[in-house]
Amino acid sequence: MDSIKIEQLEQRLQSRLNRFIQNSDSWGDDARTVLEFIREQYGEDSAYLCGGAVRRLVLVRVNEIRDIDIIVRDHDAERIRDLFKAYQPKMNRFGGVSFQVIQNKIDIWPLSETWAFKQRLVGYREHFEDYTKTTFLDIDAIAVQLFVRSGRMRTIYSKGFFEAILNESIDINLEANPDPLRCLVKSLALAEQLNFSLQPRLARYIVTTARRYKPEEMSAIYRYHYGNERLTAEVFQQFLESISEQLHSSPGQAVRLPAAVY
C-alpha cells in the first residue's frame, strides 16, 4: 500500500514541478530567465531541485514556492558566481552562491561541495542519488531532476522523504552535521509548521543537543532563518520540556510537540 501512495506522491511532484516551471505567474519573468539560463549551462542531467521547494511542491501549492535550492554538477563555485554576476550573488553556506530575483531567493551550489562529501562521511561519485544520503533530516532527502525533454518523466532520488510525508513524522537521515544548533531549530520548526511528529532518535538528539544551548539562542537562530518571531525562547522551552517528558514516559514512541502558546 505504501508503495502505491509513494507513487502517487511522486506523480504529484512531477505534475506540480511541471506547472511551476511553466507558469510565469508563480515563477516571475526574471526568475524564468534565470531558470532558462541554468538549463543552457547545465543541460538536463546536471541540475536538480532539492530542499524546501520540493517539500512545498508536494505539501502546499505551486504558487507558494519562493526559496529555490539547486545542486549542479560543477566543481567551481567561482564559475557559478561569475555566471550569475548580474544578480550580485553572495557565497552561501553550501559552498555555492545565493541571489535574489524579484520575490524568489535562489541558491545554487556544486554537488561536490556538499558537506558530507567533503568530510568523507558519504562516498562521492558525482551522482545526484548520493546527495539524498547527506541530509540531516529524512524530509530533506530528496533531489528532483529540474529539466527534462517534453513528454519525459523527471528522475527523482529519495531516501525516506516520501515515507516521512506519508507517516507525518520526521527522523534523522545522517546525524553528523556542521551545525547542531541549526539542525535542532530546523527540526522543531518543521515539526511545528507541518504538525509532524518526531521519531525517537531525532527527539533524543534534540534533547541531548539542547543541553549545550539556551532557548534564547534557539529563538535567535529561528528568527534569522525564518524571518519571524513565532517560536520564542519560551516556546522552545515548552517544546524541550514536553519532548523530555514523552521520551521518559514512552521511550520507543514518536513524540508530538505541544500546541505552542505564542
Side-chain angles (χ1 to χ4, degrees):
M1 183 63 70
D2 279 356
S3 61
I4 294 174
K5 291 180 179 178
I6 287 173
E7 184 177 345
Q8 291 172 341
L9 288 178
E10 289 179 344
Q11 291 172 352
R12 180 192 299 177
L13 176 56
Q14 296 271 4
S15 174
R16 290 184 176 181
L17 184 49
N18 282 338
R19 295 208 315 271
F20 175 65
I21 290 176
Q22 296 167 5
N23 185 355
S24 61
D25 290 336
S26 66
W27 182 257
D29 290 340
D30 288 342
R32 278 175 58 83
T33 300
V34 171
L35 195 68
E36 290 164 2
F37 182 69
I38 295 171
R39 184 170 192 163
E40 290 174 4
Q41 293 297 319
Y42 294 102
E44 295 176 354
D45 298 323
S46 295
Y48 275 66
L49 185 68
C50 59
V54 182
R55 188 166 54 247
R56 293 186 72 81
L57 282 170
V58 173
L59 289 173
V60 195
R61 292 183 297 182
V62 172
N63 61 359
E64 291 191 14
I65 308 302
R66 291 293 177 263
D67 292 349
I68 298 105
D69 295 329
I70 301 171
I71 43 177
V72 294
R73 189 175 285 116
D74 198 323
H75 296 280
D76 190 348
E78 290 296 333
R79 175 179 178 273
I80 297 175
R81 184 162 64 175
D82 288 343
L83 286 173
F84 298 96
K85 61 184 178 182
Y87 299 96
Q88 300 180 322
K90 299 178 180 179
M91 300 304 292
N92 62 25
R93 59 188 171 85
F94 305 116
V97 302
S98 177
F99 54 93
Q100 194 81 18
V101 183
I102 310 301
Q103 74 271 35
N104 302 97
K105 179 178 177 289
I106 302 176
D107 284 278
I108 305 175
W109 73 94
L111 177 64
S112 60
E113 288 295 308
T114 302
W115 181 83
F117 293 147
K118 297 184 73 175
Q119 298 297 314
R120 303 187 181 219
L121 297 170
V122 176
Y124 177 60
R125 304 174 299 169
E126 296 193 29
H127 200 297
F128 287 97
E129 181 178 12
D130 292 332
Y131 172 79
T132 64
K133 305 172 187 177
T134 70
T135 63
F136 175 70
L137 296 174
D138 56 2
I139 203 167
D140 284 327
I142 184 79
V144 186
Q145 187 178 6
L146 198 51
F147 308 112
V148 290
R149 295 179 186 177
S150 179
R152 292 193 177 183
M153 300 291 284
R154 289 178 169 79
T155 299
I156 299 175
Y157 297 116
S158 169
K159 188 173 180 286
F161 170 84
F162 292 110
E163 290 82 356
I165 299 294
L166 286 177
N167 296 327
E168 297 186 349
S169 186
I170 305 172
D171 204 354
I172 290 174
N173 181 37
L174 177 67
E175 184 167 335
N177 69 83
D179 194 343
L181 176 56
R182 191 183 68 83
C183 288
L184 179 158
V185 170
K186 181 177 182 179
S187 300
L188 291 174
L190 281 175
E192 189 271 340
Q193 175 190 349
L194 300 174
N195 195 26
F196 280 14
S197 63
L198 303 166
Q199 287 296 316
R201 182 185 176 194
L202 177 56
R204 288 192 296 270
Y205 176 92
I206 289 171
V207 169
T208 301
T209 302
R211 294 171 186 157
R212 296 150 51 187
Y213 305 100
K214 297 178 180 179
E216 289 78 11
E217 294 176 273
M218 301 172 197
S219 181
I221 290 292
Y222 175 83
R223 286 196 305 272
Y224 177 79
H225 284 286
Y226 293 91
N228 66 69
E229 300 184 3
R230 284 196 335 111
L231 300 191
T232 62
E234 290 75 16
V235 170
F236 277 105
Q237 186 63 41
Q238 291 175 33
F239 288 168
L240 295 171
E241 290 174 357
S242 178
I243 292 170
S244 295
E245 291 172 3
Q246 292 178 67
L247 283 175
H248 179 73
S249 61
S250 304
Q253 299 296 314
V255 170
R256 296 205 68 90
L257 298 181
V261 178
Y262 300 109

Short mmCIF file of all heavy atoms in Angstrom, two decimals, residues 18 24 79 91 93 108 114 116 137 152 160 164 186 197 219 249 251 256 262:
data_model
loop_
_atom_site.label_atom_id
_atom_site.label_comp_id
_atom_site.label_asym_id
_atom_site.label_seq_id
_atom_site.Cartn_x
_atom_site.Cartn_y
_atom_site.Cartn_z
N ASN A 18 6.23 20.52 -13.09
CA ASN A 18 5.98 20.94 -14.47
C ASN A 18 5.25 22.28 -14.50
O ASN A 18 5.63 23.21 -15.22
CB ASN A 18 5.13 19.89 -15.20
CG ASN A 18 5.93 18.69 -15.65
OD1 ASN A 18 7.16 18.77 -15.79
ND2 ASN A 18 5.26 17.57 -15.86
N SER A 24 4.54 31.30 -15.50
CA SER A 24 5.25 32.56 -15.23
C SER A 24 4.65 33.32 -14.05
O SER A 24 5.32 34.13 -13.42
CB SER A 24 5.25 33.45 -16.48
OG SER A 24 3.92 33.78 -16.85
N ARG A 79 33.04 29.93 -10.66
CA ARG A 79 32.45 29.95 -12.00
C ARG A 79 30.95 30.20 -11.92
O ARG A 79 30.40 30.98 -12.71
CB ARG A 79 32.71 28.62 -12.71
CG ARG A 79 32.02 28.51 -14.07
CD ARG A 79 32.34 27.17 -14.74
NE ARG A 79 31.65 27.03 -16.00
CZ ARG A 79 30.42 26.54 -16.15
NH1 ARG A 79 29.75 26.13 -15.08
NH2 ARG A 79 29.87 26.44 -17.33
N MET A 91 28.23 34.37 -1.66
CA MET A 91 28.55 32.98 -1.33
C MET A 91 27.61 32.52 -0.22
O MET A 91 27.35 33.25 0.73
CB MET A 91 30.00 32.83 -0.90
CG MET A 91 31.02 33.26 -1.94
SD MET A 91 30.84 32.40 -3.54
CE MET A 91 31.32 30.72 -3.08
N ARG A 93 26.17 29.22 2.53
CA ARG A 93 26.77 28.26 3.46
C ARG A 93 26.95 26.88 2.86
O ARG A 93 27.56 26.01 3.47
CB ARG A 93 25.90 28.15 4.73
CG ARG A 93 24.49 27.72 4.48
CD ARG A 93 23.65 27.82 5.76
NE ARG A 93 22.25 27.62 5.51
CZ ARG A 93 21.67 26.43 5.46
NH1 ARG A 93 22.38 25.34 5.64
NH2 ARG A 93 20.38 26.33 5.23
N ILE A 108 22.35 28.17 -5.52
CA ILE A 108 22.91 27.18 -6.44
C ILE A 108 24.28 26.79 -5.91
O ILE A 108 25.10 27.67 -5.59
CB ILE A 108 23.05 27.74 -7.86
CG1 ILE A 108 21.70 28.28 -8.38
CG2 ILE A 108 23.58 26.67 -8.82
CD1 ILE A 108 21.79 28.96 -9.73
N THR A 114 28.96 19.61 -1.23
CA THR A 114 28.10 19.15 -0.13
C THR A 114 28.97 18.70 1.04
O THR A 114 29.92 17.94 0.88
CB THR A 114 27.20 17.99 -0.61
OG1 THR A 114 26.41 18.45 -1.72
CG2 THR A 114 26.28 17.52 0.51
N ALA A 116 28.86 16.64 3.62
CA ALA A 116 29.11 15.23 3.95
C ALA A 116 30.06 14.57 2.95
O ALA A 116 30.80 13.65 3.31
CB ALA A 116 27.79 14.46 3.99
N LEU A 137 18.00 15.52 7.91
CA LEU A 137 16.65 15.01 8.08
C LEU A 137 16.19 14.20 6.88
O LEU A 137 16.53 14.52 5.73
CB LEU A 137 15.67 16.16 8.30
CG LEU A 137 15.85 17.00 9.56
CD1 LEU A 137 14.89 18.17 9.56
CD2 LEU A 137 15.66 16.14 10.82
N ARG A 152 8.81 13.52 -21.15
CA ARG A 152 9.58 12.60 -20.32
C ARG A 152 9.35 12.87 -18.84
O ARG A 152 9.02 13.97 -18.43
CB ARG A 152 11.07 12.71 -20.64
CG ARG A 152 11.43 12.20 -22.03
CD ARG A 152 12.93 12.04 -22.16
NE ARG A 152 13.30 11.49 -23.45
CZ ARG A 152 14.55 11.20 -23.80
NH1 ARG A 152 15.55 11.42 -22.96
NH2 ARG A 152 14.80 10.69 -24.99
N GLY A 160 13.81 8.24 2.12
CA GLY A 160 12.93 8.43 3.27
C GLY A 160 12.03 9.65 3.18
O GLY A 160 11.18 9.84 4.05
N ALA A 164 8.44 9.94 5.10
CA ALA A 164 8.23 10.96 6.12
C ALA A 164 6.92 11.70 5.88
O ALA A 164 6.16 11.97 6.82
CB ALA A 164 9.40 11.94 6.14
N LYS A 186 15.79 23.72 13.13
CA LYS A 186 15.05 23.37 11.92
C LYS A 186 14.11 22.20 12.17
O LYS A 186 12.98 22.18 11.69
CB LYS A 186 16.02 23.03 10.79
CG LYS A 186 15.31 22.67 9.48
CD LYS A 186 16.29 22.40 8.35
CE LYS A 186 15.55 22.09 7.07
NZ LYS A 186 16.48 21.85 5.93
N SER A 197 5.17 14.54 13.76
CA SER A 197 5.80 14.04 14.98
C SER A 197 7.31 13.89 14.76
O SER A 197 7.80 13.96 13.63
CB SER A 197 5.19 12.70 15.39
OG SER A 197 5.44 11.72 14.39
N SER A 219 15.90 30.61 19.68
CA SER A 219 14.97 31.59 19.14
C SER A 219 15.67 32.56 18.19
O SER A 219 15.11 32.95 17.16
CB SER A 219 14.31 32.36 20.29
OG SER A 219 13.38 33.30 19.81
N SER A 249 8.42 8.85 29.47
CA SER A 249 7.24 8.01 29.71
C SER A 249 7.04 6.95 28.64
O SER A 249 6.54 5.85 28.93
CB SER A 249 5.99 8.89 29.81
OG SER A 249 5.78 9.61 28.59
N PRO A 251 9.58 5.79 25.81
CA PRO A 251 10.86 5.97 25.10
C PRO A 251 10.89 5.46 23.66
O PRO A 251 11.68 5.92 22.86
CB PRO A 251 11.85 5.19 25.98
CG PRO A 251 11.02 4.31 26.84
CD PRO A 251 9.72 4.98 27.03
N ARG A 256 5.17 14.09 19.86
CA ARG A 256 4.44 15.18 19.24
C ARG A 256 4.66 16.45 20.05
O ARG A 256 4.64 16.43 21.29
CB ARG A 256 2.94 14.87 19.16
CG ARG A 256 2.60 13.69 18.28
CD ARG A 256 1.19 13.79 17.75
NE ARG A 256 1.04 14.87 16.81
CZ ARG A 256 1.24 14.75 15.49
NH1 ARG A 256 1.65 13.61 14.99
NH2 ARG A 256 1.06 15.79 14.70
N TYR A 262 1.76 31.23 22.00
CA TYR A 262 2.53 32.33 21.41
C TYR A 262 2.27 33.63 22.16
O TYR A 262 1.18 33.85 22.65
CB TYR A 262 2.18 32.47 19.93
CG TYR A 262 2.48 31.25 19.13
CD1 TYR A 262 1.47 30.45 18.63
CD2 TYR A 262 3.81 30.87 18.89
CE1 TYR A 262 1.74 29.32 17.89
CE2 TYR A 262 4.10 29.74 18.15
CZ TYR A 262 3.06 28.97 17.66
OH TYR A 262 3.36 27.84 16.94
#
